[in-house]
């Protein structure tokens, strides 16, 4: 088996609709390599973290939509806003979406490095000043944008509100009042499209490297998260 097929098999993350390797299964290495090189779809540009299915079950595009998260245990429903933002302004939009959360926040780092099964490990840090957090995140912009095994969530339990920048490089906001996040997205020219489909909703692949795994450990240290993981 060639390197690229090992790569696909090792980093495959399946969407809800995908149960096998699907469109990647019988590709030549040349076809795989060509597909992984494609980042631009019209005016939308992906980061290096993730690629859609070879047969483009979902064509990446920019926009946001509303949804609802239902917690079966507590029987509560939480409004959700999900957004896909083109690479050239993605990180700026993420940092701007942290501004409505207050001056002190909690942080969760998500990692699927070194895991052989689906899912990720979480690390938690409470009570960090937002300007300090932003400064640290700027130092790790490349990791956060381009590593398909790193995600981050920032939350303020007192509001309560949460913003996720997940492994697929989608922006997801949870909270009872999502209007501040809507205003930020609209001001950046990101349209509301309640019919938009995201790359997570079909077969897709994640990309990572040993260098990104090492940088993740550095970020973990900078955020004071050396105490270990919690599932």
């Amino acid at each position: 088996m060639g390197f690229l097929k090992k790569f696909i098999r090792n980093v495959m993350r399946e969407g809800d609709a995908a149960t096998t390797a699907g469109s990647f299964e019988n590709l030549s290495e040349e076809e795989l390599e060509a597909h992984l090189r494609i980042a631009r779809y019209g005016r939308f540009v992906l980061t290096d973290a993730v690629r859609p299915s070879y047969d483009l079950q979902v064509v990446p595009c920019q926009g946001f939509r509303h949804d609802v998260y239902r917690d079966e245990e507590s029987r509560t429903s939480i409004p959700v806003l999900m957004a896909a933002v083109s690479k050239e302004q993605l990180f700026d939009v993420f940092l701007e979406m942290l501004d409505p959360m207050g001056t002190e926040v909690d942080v969760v780092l998500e990692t699927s490095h070194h895991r052989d099964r689906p899912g990720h490990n979480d690390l938690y840090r409470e009570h960090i000043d937002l300007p300090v957090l932003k400064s640290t995140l700027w130092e790790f912009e490349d990791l956060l944008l381009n590593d398909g095994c790193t995600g981050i969530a920032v939350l303020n339990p007192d509001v309560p509100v949460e913003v996720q920048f997940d492994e697929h490089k989608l922006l997801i906001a949870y909270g009872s009042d999502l209007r501040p996040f809507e205003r930020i997205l609209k001001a950046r020219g990101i349209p509301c499209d309640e019919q938009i489909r995201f790359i997570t909703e079909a077969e897709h692949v994640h990309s990572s490297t040993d260098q990104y795994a090492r940088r993740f450990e550095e970020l973990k240290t900078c955020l004071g998260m050396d105490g270990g993981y919690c599932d």
Side-chain angles (χ1 to χ4, degrees):
M1 184 184 296
F3 167 76
L4 284 171
K5 290 202 174 182
K6 288 181 181 178
F7 167 83
I8 291 293
R9 182 158 297 182
N10 288 339
V11 303
M12 190 73 181
R13 303 288 190 275
E14 295 178 354
D16 291 340
T19 57
T20 69
S23 65
F24 294 99
E25 184 67 26
N26 298 311
L27 298 181
S28 68
E29 292 194 17
E30 290 76 16
E31 290 171 324
L32 278 171
E33 186 174 5
H35 179 69
L36 295 174
R37 282 200 303 263
I38 298 172
R40 178 177 292 276
Y41 291 86
R43 298 174 64 183
F44 184 83
V45 182
L46 290 165
T47 74
D48 292 341
V50 67
R51 290 292 183 266
S53 63
Y54 186 76
D55 57 358
L56 293 181
Q57 298 162 18
V58 171
V59 178
C61 63
Q62 182 160 268
F64 71 91
R65 77 174 193 224
H66 299 84
D67 211 326
V68 176
Y69 171 75
R70 293 178 174 84
D71 188 322
E72 298 299 332
E73 291 186 7
S74 64
R75 297 185 179 275
T76 58
S77 297
I78 303 173
V80 178
L81 184 152
M82 298 180 64
V85 179
S86 189
K87 178 181 180 177
E88 63 272 12
Q89 60 174 343
L90 174 57
F91 198 70
D92 288 338
V93 173
F94 165 58
L95 293 183
E96 191 173 349
M97 286 179 67
L98 302 183
D99 290 337
M101 304 188 67
T103 58
E104 187 177 82
V105 295
D106 297 351
V107 182
V108 181
L109 278 184
E110 302 173 347
T111 172
S112 55
H113 299 106
H114 314 304
R115 285 180 68 101
D116 297 325
R117 65 182 189 275
H120 53 75
N121 288 316
D122 294 343
L123 304 102
Y124 204 94
R125 161 73 191 273
E126 295 182 319
H127 308 309
I128 182 169
D129 290 339
L130 185 59
V132 174
L133 174 63
K134 282 189 173 186
S135 177
T136 301
L137 297 184
W138 270 118
E139 295 180 26
F140 291 86
E141 177 184 4
D142 180 57
L143 170 74
L144 293 167
L145 275 179
N146 296 304
D147 181 25
C149 290
T150 293
I152 188 170
V154 181
L155 57 149
N156 186 337
D158 296 330
V159 176
V161 66
E162 177 176 337
V163 172
Q164 291 184 3
F165 185 29
D166 78 351
E167 293 180 338
H168 309 90
K169 310 315 164 188
L170 297 175
L171 299 175
I172 308 168
Y174 299 83
S176 58
D177 184 6
L178 298 175
R179 289 174 296 178
F181 306 109
E182 293 174 2
R183 287 194 289 267
I184 290 168
L185 293 170
K186 289 178 179 178
R188 291 281 187 161
I190 299 157
C192 179
D193 178 1
E194 301 296 355
Q195 304 305 314
I196 192 173
R197 295 182 67 207
F198 297 112
I199 200 169
T200 53
E201 296 176 291
E203 179 188 49
H204 58 278
V205 290
H206 292 225
S207 174
S208 187
T209 65
D210 291 339
Q211 180 180 355
Y212 282 143
R214 290 191 293 270
R215 284 290 284 166
F216 180 88
E217 294 299 316
E218 294 173 12
L219 175 57
K220 186 176 75 170
T221 299
C222 286
L223 290 176
M225 295 178 171
D226 287 330
Y229 299 94
C230 59
D231 286 319

